[in-house]
Amino acid sequence: MPAPTSPSTSLPTSPPASPADLFRHSLRLLLAKDIPARVDLWAEDGVAEFPFAPDGWPRRLEGKEAVAAYMRHYPDHIDLHDFPDLHIHRTDDPHTVVAEMRGVGRLVQTDAPFDMTYIVVMTERDGRIVSYRDYWNPLAVQVPGADFAGSRR
């Protein structure tokens, strides 16, 4: 298993050079709560999928605008502090990586701890995210304060 990698807090000024760099950069932007810059990493026709999303939560977002709408209120609900245990794996496709990670922080509404494990399969094209399959635990959104997607609004 590869050594853990960190998203690091310094933001590069040049475009990411590899899918792994692009993924790490997207995490840095999420930690910085810079949602517009994170959305700018997406291709116009990019697709986000959440295969384990519970009823009432989106399972597929098509296009950059749909991703922007989904992510818009994320920092108002989940205050991420770190992505420990980040492992990024290359695949046979040079444009695709698989990431294993934890996101830790707190739920803004309740100040309760947030700790979720994820597996993400991300594909890039021309330095932009074109596919992002996020396998997260749907039980974690059943706690008050975790509903950033507005499924219960």
Side-chain angles (χ1 to χ4, degrees):
M1 177 173 267
T5 58
S6 170
S8 180
T9 54
S10 61
L11 298 175
T13 56
S14 61
S18 72
D21 291 338
L22 178 62
F23 188 83
R24 277 192 287 280
H25 184 60
S26 76
L27 295 182
R28 285 190 294 270
L29 292 170
L30 197 53
L31 289 174
K33 297 167 185 43
D34 191 346
I35 301 305
R38 188 169 194 268
V39 170
D40 281 345
L41 299 178
W42 285 75
E44 291 298 326
D45 61 346
V47 173
E49 295 176 283
F50 310 99
F52 298 148
D55 290 341
W57 281 69
R59 291 209 170 117
R60 183 177 172 92
L61 305 170
E62 295 188 27
K64 188 177 192 173
E65 290 304 314
V67 171
Y70 177 80
M71 292 297 300
R72 185 168 292 120
H73 299 290
Y74 190 95
D76 298 332
H77 298 275
I78 300 173
D79 178 21
L80 286 170
H81 300 160
D82 195 10
F83 288 101
D85 307 322
L86 174 63
H87 299 274
I88 299 175
H89 308 274
R90 287 183 238 146
T91 68
D92 289 342
D93 178 343
H95 300 282
T96 300
V97 292
V98 174
E100 300 174 83
M101 64 186 178
R102 284 179 44 228
V104 297
R106 69 180 182 88
L107 297 174
V108 174
Q109 179 183 350
T110 64
D111 206 35
F114 178 83
D115 190 338
M116 183 161 347
T117 301
Y118 303 83
I119 293 179
V120 174
V121 180
M122 187 201 80
T123 302
E124 66 83 30
R125 178 184 68 230
D126 300 325
R128 299 280 182 228
I129 299 168
V130 294
S131 176
Y132 193 96
R133 284 190 316 276
D134 190 343
Y135 297 89
W136 54 275
N137 180 358
L139 298 176
V141 299
Q142 294 178 356
V143 298
D147 188 19
F148 68 91
S151 63
R152 288 177 260 171
R153 281 187 233 167

